[in-house]
Amino acid sequence: MYVRDHMTENPVTVRAETSVSKALDLMNENHFRYLPVTDQDEKLTGILSRDLIHEFMLKKQSGMDRFQMYRFLSATRTKDIMIRDVRAISQDAFLNEAAEMIRNMEVHALPVIDEEGRVRGIITQGDILKALVQKAG
C-alpha cells in the first residue's frame, strides 16, 4: 500500500504571508487540523496546525477580547508561527513508512511531496487507520 493511494490529494495550502486569521478560518470551514505552507512554486516551507494557533492565542491573549484577538491574528502572518522544520513523506513511500514516521514523531499528519518538494497531498492518522480497516475487511 502506497501513501499516494490513501492521502488527501491537492490539499488546501497557505502561503507564509497569509494571515493567521485566514488560515484559522480555512481550517474551521473545512474541518482541517493542519495546513501545509508553500511558496509560489507549491514547495513545502512549513506547516500550521490548529493546536499551534490555539497555543499562540493563549500566550498572547492577556486581556484581549474576541474582537481584539481576531484583529491581532489578522495582523499576524503564518510565517510568524508556522513550524519550519517539517518532515514530509514521498507520495511513493509505503503506507507503513508514513505510519512509523507519524508514531515516532508524535504528530497526526504528514505533508506528502513529490520529487521536487511540491506538496501533492497530506496523510493523517485517520487515513492510515481507514486503509488498514479496508484491507482487513
Side-chain angles (χ1 to χ4, degrees), residues 64-81:
M64 286 190 205
D65 64 27
R66 190 173 78 203
F67 300 107
Q68 290 170 319
M69 179 57 71
Y70 189 81
R71 280 195 304 271
F72 177 72
L73 292 178
S74 294
T76 304
R77 301 290 148 223
T78 299
K79 68 181 179 182
D80 297 328
I81 67 170

Side-chain angles (χ1 to χ4, degrees), residues 31 40 60 62 74-75 77 81 85 89 91 93 98 110 117 130:
H31 309 288
Q40 66 276 3
K60 300 295 182 180
S62 61
S74 294
R77 301 290 148 223
I81 67 170
D85 185 24
I89 192 158
Q91 58 191 355
L110 291 171
K130 182 178 174 183

Side-chain angles (χ1 to χ4, degrees), residues 14-83:
V14 293
R15 301 274 194 257
E17 291 301 322
T18 302
S19 72
V20 173
S21 62
K22 173 68 174 170
L24 188 57
D25 287 346
L26 284 169
M27 288 179 176
N28 289 335
E29 290 167 11
N30 297 289
H31 309 288
F32 299 145
R33 290 184 0 195
Y34 294 89
L35 278 176
V37 181
T38 60
D39 64 14
Q40 66 276 3
D41 297 321
E42 297 302 319
K43 291 187 178 179
L44 184 67
T45 60
I47 195 162
L48 193 61
S49 73
R50 183 185 305 266
D51 289 344
L52 187 63
I53 293 171
H54 288 154
E55 187 178 304
F56 178 74
M57 288 169 60
L58 285 173
K59 288 179 185 175
K60 300 295 182 180
Q61 155 176 37
S62 61
M64 286 190 205
D65 64 27
R66 190 173 78 203
F67 300 107
Q68 290 170 319
M69 179 57 71
Y70 189 81
R71 280 195 304 271
F72 177 72
L73 292 178
S74 294
T76 304
R77 301 290 148 223
T78 299
K79 68 181 179 182
D80 297 328
I81 67 170
M82 71 182 189
I83 298 168

